[in-house]
CSV table of all heavy atoms in Angstrom, one decimal:
chain,number,residue,atom,x,y,z
A,1,VAL,N,9.6,-8.5,1.5
A,1,VAL,CA,10.5,-8.1,0.4
A,1,VAL,C,11.9,-8.0,0.9
A,1,VAL,O,12.9,-8.4,0.3
A,1,VAL,CB,10.0,-6.8,-0.3
A,1,VAL,CG1,11.1,-6.3,-1.3
A,1,VAL,CG2,8.7,-7.1,-1.1
A,2,GLU,N,12.1,-7.3,2.0
A,2,GLU,CA,13.4,-7.1,2.6
A,2,GLU,C,14.0,-8.5,3.0
A,2,GLU,O,15.2,-8.7,2.7
A,2,GLU,CB,13.3,-6.3,3.9
A,2,GLU,CG,14.6,-6.0,4.5
A,2,GLU,CD,14.5,-5.1,5.8
A,2,GLU,OE1,13.6,-4.3,5.8
A,2,GLU,OE2,15.3,-5.3,6.7
A,3,GLN,N,13.3,-9.4,3.6
A,3,GLN,CA,13.8,-10.7,3.9
A,3,GLN,C,14.2,-11.5,2.7
A,3,GLN,O,15.2,-12.1,2.6
A,3,GLN,CB,12.7,-11.5,4.7
A,3,GLN,CG,13.2,-12.8,5.2
A,3,GLN,CD,14.1,-12.7,6.4
A,3,GLN,OE1,14.2,-11.7,7.1
A,3,GLN,NE2,14.9,-13.8,6.6
A,4,LEU,N,13.3,-11.4,1.7
A,4,LEU,CA,13.6,-12.2,0.4
A,4,LEU,C,14.8,-11.6,-0.4
A,4,LEU,O,15.2,-12.3,-1.3
A,4,LEU,CB,12.3,-12.3,-0.4
A,4,LEU,CG,11.3,-13.2,0.2
A,4,LEU,CD1,10.0,-13.2,-0.7
A,4,LEU,CD2,11.7,-14.7,0.3
A,5,SER,N,15.2,-10.4,0.0
A,5,SER,CA,16.3,-9.8,-0.7
A,5,SER,C,17.7,-10.4,-0.3
A,5,SER,O,18.7,-10.3,-1.0
A,5,SER,CB,16.4,-8.3,-0.5
A,5,SER,OG,15.2,-7.7,-1.0
A,6,ALA,N,17.7,-11.1,0.8
A,6,ALA,CA,18.9,-11.8,1.3
A,6,ALA,C,19.3,-12.9,0.3
A,6,ALA,O,18.5,-13.6,-0.2
A,6,ALA,CB,18.7,-12.3,2.7
A,7,PRO,N,20.6,-13.1,0.1
A,7,PRO,CA,21.1,-14.1,-0.8
A,7,PRO,C,20.6,-15.5,-0.5
A,7,PRO,O,20.5,-16.3,-1.5
A,7,PRO,CB,22.6,-14.0,-0.7
A,7,PRO,CG,22.9,-12.6,-0.1
A,7,PRO,CD,21.7,-12.3,0.7
A,8,GLN,N,20.4,-15.8,0.7
A,8,GLN,CA,20.0,-17.2,1.1
A,8,GLN,C,18.7,-17.6,0.4
A,8,GLN,O,18.4,-18.8,0.3
A,8,GLN,CB,19.9,-17.4,2.6
A,8,GLN,CG,18.7,-16.7,3.2
A,8,GLN,CD,18.8,-16.7,4.7
A,8,GLN,OE1,19.8,-16.4,5.3
A,8,GLN,NE2,17.7,-17.1,5.3
A,9,TRP,N,17.9,-16.7,0.0
A,9,TRP,CA,16.6,-17.0,-0.5
A,9,TRP,C,16.6,-17.2,-2.0
A,9,TRP,O,15.6,-17.6,-2.6
A,9,TRP,CB,15.5,-16.0,-0.1
A,9,TRP,CG,15.4,-16.0,1.4
A,9,TRP,CD1,15.8,-15.0,2.2
A,9,TRP,CD2,14.9,-17.0,2.2
A,9,TRP,NE1,15.6,-15.3,3.5
A,9,TRP,CE2,15.0,-16.6,3.6
A,9,TRP,CE3,14.3,-18.3,2.0
A,9,TRP,CZ2,14.6,-17.3,4.6
A,9,TRP,CZ3,13.9,-19.0,3.1
A,9,TRP,CH2,14.1,-18.6,4.4
A,10,HIS,N,17.7,-16.8,-2.7
A,10,HIS,CA,17.8,-16.9,-4.1
A,10,HIS,C,18.5,-18.2,-4.5
A,10,HIS,O,19.5,-18.6,-3.9
A,10,HIS,CB,18.6,-15.7,-4.7
A,10,HIS,CG,17.9,-14.4,-4.5
A,10,HIS,ND1,17.0,-14.0,-5.4
A,10,HIS,CD2,17.8,-13.6,-3.5
A,10,HIS,CE1,16.4,-12.8,-5.0
A,10,HIS,NE2,17.0,-12.6,-3.8
A,11,HIS,N,17.9,-18.9,-5.5
A,11,HIS,CA,18.5,-20.2,-6.0
A,11,HIS,C,19.5,-19.9,-7.0
A,11,HIS,O,19.4,-18.9,-7.8
A,11,HIS,CB,17.3,-21.0,-6.6
A,11,HIS,CG,17.7,-22.4,-6.7
A,11,HIS,ND1,18.5,-22.9,-7.7
A,11,HIS,CD2,17.4,-23.5,-5.9
A,11,HIS,CE1,18.6,-24.2,-7.6
A,11,HIS,NE2,18.0,-24.6,-6.5
A,12,SER,N,20.6,-20.7,-7.1
A,12,SER,CA,21.7,-20.5,-8.0
A,12,SER,C,21.2,-20.7,-9.5
A,12,SER,O,21.7,-20.1,-10.4
A,12,SER,CB,22.8,-21.4,-7.7
A,12,SER,OG,22.4,-22.7,-7.7
A,13,ASP,N,20.1,-21.5,-9.6
A,13,ASP,CA,19.6,-21.7,-11.0
A,13,ASP,C,18.4,-20.7,-11.2
A,13,ASP,O,17.4,-20.8,-10.5
A,13,ASP,CB,19.0,-23.2,-11.1
A,13,ASP,CG,18.5,-23.5,-12.4
A,13,ASP,OD1,18.2,-22.6,-13.2
A,13,ASP,OD2,18.2,-24.7,-12.7
A,14,PRO,N,18.5,-19.8,-12.1
A,14,PRO,CA,17.5,-18.8,-12.3
A,14,PRO,C,16.1,-19.4,-12.6
A,14,PRO,O,15.1,-18.7,-12.2
A,14,PRO,CB,18.0,-18.0,-13.5
A,14,PRO,CG,19.5,-18.2,-13.6
A,14,PRO,CD,19.7,-19.6,-13.0
A,15,ASP,N,16.1,-20.5,-13.2
A,15,ASP,CA,14.8,-21.2,-13.5
A,15,ASP,C,14.1,-21.6,-12.2
A,15,ASP,O,12.8,-21.8,-12.2
A,15,ASP,CB,14.9,-22.3,-14.4
A,15,ASP,CG,15.3,-21.9,-15.8
A,15,ASP,OD1,15.0,-20.7,-16.2
A,15,ASP,OD2,16.0,-22.7,-16.5
A,16,LEU,N,14.8,-21.8,-11.1
A,16,LEU,CA,14.3,-22.3,-9.9
A,16,LEU,C,14.1,-21.2,-8.8
A,16,LEU,O,13.6,-21.4,-7.8
A,16,LEU,CB,15.1,-23.4,-9.3
A,16,LEU,CG,15.2,-24.7,-10.1
A,16,LEU,CD1,16.2,-25.7,-9.5
A,16,LEU,CD2,13.9,-25.3,-10.4
A,17,ASP,N,14.5,-20.0,-9.2
A,17,ASP,CA,14.5,-18.9,-8.3
A,17,ASP,C,13.0,-18.3,-8.3
A,17,ASP,O,12.6,-17.8,-9.4
A,17,ASP,CB,15.5,-17.8,-8.6
A,17,ASP,CG,15.6,-16.7,-7.6
A,17,ASP,OD1,14.8,-16.7,-6.7
A,17,ASP,OD2,16.6,-16.0,-7.6
A,18,GLU,N,12.3,-18.4,-7.2
A,18,GLU,CA,10.9,-18.0,-7.2
A,18,GLU,C,10.6,-16.7,-6.4
A,18,GLU,O,9.5,-16.4,-6.2
A,18,GLU,CB,10.0,-19.2,-6.6
A,18,GLU,CG,10.1,-20.4,-7.4
A,18,GLU,CD,9.4,-21.6,-6.8
A,18,GLU,OE1,9.3,-21.6,-5.5
A,18,GLU,OE2,8.9,-22.4,-7.5
A,19,VAL,N,11.7,-16.1,-6.0
A,19,VAL,CA,11.5,-14.9,-5.2
A,19,VAL,C,10.6,-13.8,-5.8
A,19,VAL,O,9.7,-13.3,-5.1
A,19,VAL,CB,12.9,-14.3,-4.8
A,19,VAL,CG1,12.8,-13.0,-4.1
A,19,VAL,CG2,13.6,-15.3,-3.9
A,20,ASP,N,10.9,-13.5,-7.0
A,20,ASP,CA,10.1,-12.4,-7.7
A,20,ASP,C,8.6,-12.8,-7.8
A,20,ASP,O,7.7,-12.0,-7.6
A,20,ASP,CB,10.6,-12.1,-9.1
A,20,ASP,CG,12.0,-11.4,-9.0
A,20,ASP,OD1,12.3,-10.8,-7.9
A,20,ASP,OD2,12.8,-11.5,-10.0
A,21,GLU,N,8.4,-14.1,-8.1
A,21,GLU,CA,7.0,-14.6,-8.2
A,21,GLU,C,6.3,-14.5,-6.8
A,21,GLU,O,5.1,-14.1,-6.7
A,21,GLU,CB,7.1,-16.0,-8.7
A,21,GLU,CG,5.7,-16.6,-8.9
A,21,GLU,CD,5.8,-18.1,-9.5
A,21,GLU,OE1,6.9,-18.5,-10.0
A,21,GLU,OE2,4.8,-18.8,-9.4
A,22,ILE,N,7.0,-14.8,-5.7
A,22,ILE,CA,6.4,-14.8,-4.4
A,22,ILE,C,6.1,-13.3,-4.0
A,22,ILE,O,5.0,-13.1,-3.5
A,22,ILE,CB,7.3,-15.4,-3.4
A,22,ILE,CG1,7.4,-16.9,-3.6
A,22,ILE,CG2,6.9,-15.1,-1.9
A,22,ILE,CD1,8.5,-17.6,-2.8
A,23,ILE,N,7.0,-12.4,-4.3
A,23,ILE,CA,6.7,-11.0,-4.1
A,23,ILE,C,5.5,-10.5,-4.8
A,23,ILE,O,4.7,-9.8,-4.3
A,23,ILE,CB,8.0,-10.2,-4.4
A,23,ILE,CG1,9.1,-10.5,-3.4
A,23,ILE,CG2,7.6,-8.7,-4.4
A,23,ILE,CD1,10.4,-9.9,-3.7
A,24,GLN,N,5.4,-10.9,-6.1
A,24,GLN,CA,4.2,-10.5,-6.9
A,24,GLN,C,2.9,-11.1,-6.3
A,24,GLN,O,1.9,-10.4,-6.2
A,24,GLN,CB,4.4,-11.0,-8.3
A,24,GLN,CG,3.2,-10.6,-9.2
A,24,GLN,CD,3.0,-9.1,-9.3
A,24,GLN,OE1,3.9,-8.3,-9.3
A,24,GLN,NE2,1.7,-8.7,-9.3
A,25,MET,N,3.0,-12.3,-5.8
A,25,MET,CA,1.8,-12.9,-5.2
A,25,MET,C,1.4,-12.1,-3.9
A,25,MET,O,0.2,-11.9,-3.7
A,25,MET,CB,2.0,-14.4,-4.8
A,25,MET,CG,2.0,-15.3,-6.0
A,25,MET,SD,2.3,-17.0,-5.4
A,25,MET,CE,3.7,-17.5,-6.5
A,26,ALA,N,2.4,-11.8,-3.1
A,26,ALA,CA,2.1,-11.0,-1.9
A,26,ALA,C,1.5,-9.7,-2.2
A,26,ALA,O,0.6,-9.2,-1.5
A,26,ALA,CB,3.4,-10.8,-1.1
A,27,ARG,N,1.9,-9.0,-3.3
A,27,ARG,CA,1.3,-7.7,-3.7
A,27,ARG,C,-0.1,-7.8,-4.1
A,27,ARG,O,-0.9,-6.8,-4.0
A,27,ARG,CB,2.2,-7.1,-4.8
A,27,ARG,CG,3.5,-6.6,-4.3
A,27,ARG,CD,4.2,-5.8,-5.4
A,27,ARG,NE,5.4,-5.3,-4.8
A,27,ARG,CZ,6.6,-5.4,-5.3
A,27,ARG,NH1,6.8,-6.1,-6.5
A,27,ARG,NH2,7.7,-4.9,-4.7
A,28,GLU,N,-0.6,-9.0,-4.4
A,28,GLU,CA,-2.0,-9.2,-4.8
A,28,GLU,C,-2.9,-9.4,-3.7
A,28,GLU,O,-4.1,-9.4,-3.8
A,28,GLU,CB,-2.1,-10.4,-5.8
A,28,GLU,CG,-1.4,-10.1,-7.1
A,28,GLU,CD,-1.4,-11.3,-8.0
A,28,GLU,OE1,-2.1,-12.3,-7.7
A,28,GLU,OE2,-0.6,-11.3,-9.1
A,29,VAL,N,-2.3,-9.6,-2.5
A,29,VAL,CA,-3.2,-9.8,-1.3
A,29,VAL,C,-3.7,-8.4,-0.9
A,29,VAL,O,-2.9,-7.5,-0.5
A,29,VAL,CB,-2.4,-10.5,-0.1
A,29,VAL,CG1,-3.2,-10.5,1.1
A,29,VAL,CG2,-1.9,-11.8,-0.5
A,30,ARG,N,-5.0,-8.2,-0.9
A,30,ARG,CA,-5.6,-6.9,-0.6
A,30,ARG,C,-5.8,-6.7,0.9
A,30,ARG,O,-5.7,-5.6,1.4
A,30,ARG,CB,-6.9,-6.8,-1.3
A,30,ARG,CG,-6.8,-6.8,-2.8
A,30,ARG,CD,-8.2,-6.8,-3.5
A,30,ARG,NE,-9.1,-7.8,-2.9
A,30,ARG,CZ,-9.3,-9.0,-3.3
A,30,ARG,NH1,-8.6,-9.4,-4.3
A,30,ARG,NH2,-10.1,-9.8,-2.8
A,31,SER,N,-6.0,-7.8,1.6
A,31,SER,CA,-6.3,-7.7,3.0
A,31,SER,C,-5.1,-7.3,3.9
A,31,SER,O,-3.9,-7.7,3.6
A,31,SER,CB,-6.9,-9.0,3.5
A,31,SER,OG,-8.1,-9.3,2.8
A,32,VAL,N,-5.3,-6.7,5.0
A,32,VAL,CA,-4.3,-6.3,6.0
A,32,VAL,C,-4.6,-7.1,7.2
A,32,VAL,O,-5.6,-6.9,7.9
A,32,VAL,CB,-4.3,-4.8,6.2
A,32,VAL,CG1,-3.2,-4.4,7.3
A,32,VAL,CG2,-4.0,-4.0,4.9
A,33,PRO,N,-3.7,-7.9,7.7
A,33,PRO,CA,-3.9,-8.7,8.9
A,33,PRO,C,-3.8,-7.7,10.2
A,33,PRO,O,-3.2,-6.7,10.1
A,33,PRO,CB,-2.8,-9.7,8.9
A,33,PRO,CG,-1.7,-9.1,8.1
A,33,PRO,CD,-2.4,-8.3,7.1
A,34,ASP,N,-4.4,-8.2,11.3
A,34,ASP,CA,-4.3,-7.4,12.5
A,34,ASP,C,-2.8,-7.4,12.9
A,34,ASP,O,-2.3,-6.4,13.4
A,34,ASP,CB,-5.1,-8.1,13.6
A,34,ASP,CG,-6.6,-7.9,13.4
A,34,ASP,OD1,-7.0,-6.9,12.8
A,34,ASP,OD2,-7.3,-8.8,13.9
A,35,ALA,N,-2.1,-8.5,12.7
A,35,ALA,CA,-0.6,-8.5,13.0
A,35,ALA,C,-0.1,-9.7,12.2
A,35,ALA,O,-0.8,-10.5,11.6
A,35,ALA,CB,-0.4,-8.8,14.5
A,36,TRP,N,1.3,-9.8,12.2
A,36,TRP,CA,2.0,-10.8,11.4
A,36,TRP,C,3.3,-11.1,12.0
A,36,TRP,O,3.8,-10.4,12.8
A,36,TRP,CB,2.2,-10.3,9.9
A,36,TRP,CG,2.9,-9.0,9.8
A,36,TRP,CD1,2.3,-7.8,9.9
A,36,TRP,CD2,4.3,-8.8,9.8
A,36,TRP,NE1,3.3,-6.8,9.8
A,36,TRP,CE2,4.5,-7.4,9.8
A,36,TRP,CE3,5.4,-9.6,9.8
A,36,TRP,CZ2,5.8,-6.8,9.7
A,36,TRP,CZ3,6.7,-9.1,9.7
A,36,TRP,CH2,6.8,-7.7,9.7
A,37,LYS,N,3.8,-12.3,11.6
A,37,LYS,CA,5.2,-12.7,12.0
A,37,LYS,C,5.9,-13.3,10.8
A,37,LYS,O,5.2,-13.9,9.9
A,37,LYS,CB,5.1,-13.9,13.0
A,37,LYS,CG,4.8,-13.5,14.4
A,37,LYS,CD,4.9,-14.8,15.3
A,37,LYS,CE,4.6,-14.5,16.7
A,37,LYS,NZ,4.7,-15.7,17.6
A,38,LEU,N,7.1,-13.1,10.7
A,38,LEU,CA,8.0,-13.6,9.7
A,38,LEU,C,9.2,-14.2,10.3
A,38,LEU,O,9.9,-13.5,11.1
A,38,LEU,CB,8.4,-12.4,8.7
A,38,LEU,CG,9.0,-12.7,7.4
A,38,LEU,CD1,8.1,-13.6,6.5
A,38,LEU,CD2,9.4,-11.5,6.7
A,39,ARG,N,9.4,-15.5,10.1
A,39,ARG,CA,10.5,-16.2,10.7
A,39,ARG,C,11.1,-17.2,9.8
A,39,ARG,O,10.5,-17.7,8.9
A,39,ARG,CB,10.1,-16.8,12.0
A,39,ARG,CG,9.0,-17.9,11.9
A,39,ARG,CD,8.6,-18.4,13.2
A,39,ARG,NE,7.4,-19.2,13.1
A,39,ARG,CZ,7.4,-20.5,12.7
A,39,ARG,NH1,8.5,-21.1,12.4
A,39,ARG,NH2,6.3,-21.2,12.6
A,40,ASP,N,12.4,-17.5,10.0
A,40,ASP,CA,13.1,-18.5,9.3
A,40,ASP,C,12.9,-19.8,10.1
A,40,ASP,O,12.9,-19.9,11.3
A,40,ASP,CB,14.6,-18.3,9.3
A,40,ASP,CG,15.0,-17.1,8.5
A,40,ASP,OD1,14.1,-16.5,7.8
A,40,ASP,OD2,16.1,-16.6,8.6
A,41,GLU,N,12.7,-20.9,9.3
A,41,GLU,CA,12.5,-22.2,9.9
A,41,GLU,C,13.7,-23.1,9.3
A,41,GLU,O,13.9,-23.1,8.1
A,41,GLU,CB,11.2,-22.8,9.6
A,41,GLU,CG,10.9,-24.1,10.3
A,41,GLU,CD,9.4,-24.5,10.1
A,41,GLU,OE1,8.5,-24.1,10.8
A,41,GLU,OE2,9.2,-25.3,9.1
A,42,GLU,N,14.4,-23.7,10.2
A,42,GLU,CA,15.5,-24.5,9.8
A,42,GLU,C,15.1,-25.7,9.0
A,42,GLU,O,14.0,-26.3,9.3
A,42,GLU,CB,16.4,-25.0,11.0
A,42,GLU,CG,17.1,-23.8,11.7
A,42,GLU,CD,18.1,-23.1,10.8
A,42,GLU,OE1,18.8,-23.8,10.0
A,42,GLU,OE2,18.1,-21.9,10.9
A,43,PRO,N,15.8,-26.1,7.9
A,43,PRO,CA,15.4,-27.2,7.2
A,43,PRO,C,15.6,-28.5,8.0
A,43,PRO,O,16.4,-28.6,8.9
A,43,PRO,CB,16.3,-27.2,6.0
A,43,PRO,CG,17.5,-26.4,6.4
A,43,PRO,CD,17.0,-25.4,7.4
A,44,GLU,N,14.8,-29.5,7.7
A,44,GLU,CA,14.9,-30.8,8.4
A,44,GLU,C,16.1,-31.5,8.1
A,44,GLU,O,16.7,-32.3,8.9
A,44,GLU,CB,13.6,-31.6,8.1
A,44,GLU,CG,12.4,-31.1,8.7
A,44,GLU,CD,11.2,-31.9,8.5
A,44,GLU,OE1,11.3,-33.1,8.2
A,44,GLU,OE2,10.0,-31.4,8.6
A,45,HIS,N,16.6,-31.4,6.8
A,45,HIS,CA,17.8,-32.1,6.4
A,45,HIS,C,18.8,-31.1,5.8
A,45,HIS,O,18.4,-30.0,5.3
A,45,HIS,CB,17.4,-33.1,5.3
A,45,HIS,CG,16.3,-34.0,5.7
A,45,HIS,ND1,16.6,-35.1,6.5
A,45,HIS,CD2,15.0,-34.1,5.3
A,45,HIS,CE1,15.4,-35.7,6.7
A,45,HIS,NE2,14.5,-35.2,6.0
A,46,ALA,N,20.0,-31.4,5.9
A,46,ALA,CA,21.1,-30.4,5.5
A,46,ALA,C,21.0,-30.1,4.1
A,46,ALA,O,21.4,-29.0,3.7
A,46,ALA,CB,22.4,-31.0,5.8
A,47,SER,N,20.5,-30.9,3.2
A,47,SER,CA,20.4,-30.7,1.8
A,47,SER,C,19.2,-29.8,1.4
A,47,SER,O,19.1,-29.2,0.3
A,47,SER,CB,20.3,-32.0,1.0
A,47,SER,OG,19.1,-32.7,1.4
A,48,ASN,N,18.2,-29.6,2.4
A,48,ASN,CA,17.1,-28.8,2.1
A,48,ASN,C,17.4,-27.3,2.2
A,48,ASN,O,18.3,-26.9,2.9
A,48,ASN,CB,15.9,-29.1,3.1
A,48,ASN,CG,15.3,-30.5,2.8
A,48,ASN,OD1,15.5,-31.1,1.8
A,48,ASN,ND2,14.6,-31.0,3.8
């Protein structure tokens, strides 16, 4: 949630902004992993 709050993850078109939907999906995961990683991956193309 903290990472997705950054402006870079929000789309300028509200119809294409999926951040709230992703957060809701994450809240539905009941299981707790032993550990986790969260990282940014650079897009393959500048337009991505």
Side-chain angles (χ1 to χ4, degrees):
V1 170
E2 183 179 327
Q3 182 76 21
L4 290 175
S5 296
Q8 73 190 45
W9 299 109
H10 293 271
H11 198 281
S12 58
D13 181 347
D15 291 335
L16 299 176
D17 192 346
E18 299 175 331
V19 169
D20 291 336
E21 186 178 340
I22 292 169
I23 291 171
Q24 180 59 37
M25 286 181 231
R27 288 189 174 126
E28 293 175 11
V29 177
R30 298 176 308 270
S31 300
V32 177
D34 290 331
W36 55 271
K37 278 185 186 180
L38 190 60
R39 62 183 169 81
D40 295 348
E41 189 171 272
E42 293 299 319
E44 292 182 20
H45 306 287
S47 61
N48 290 346

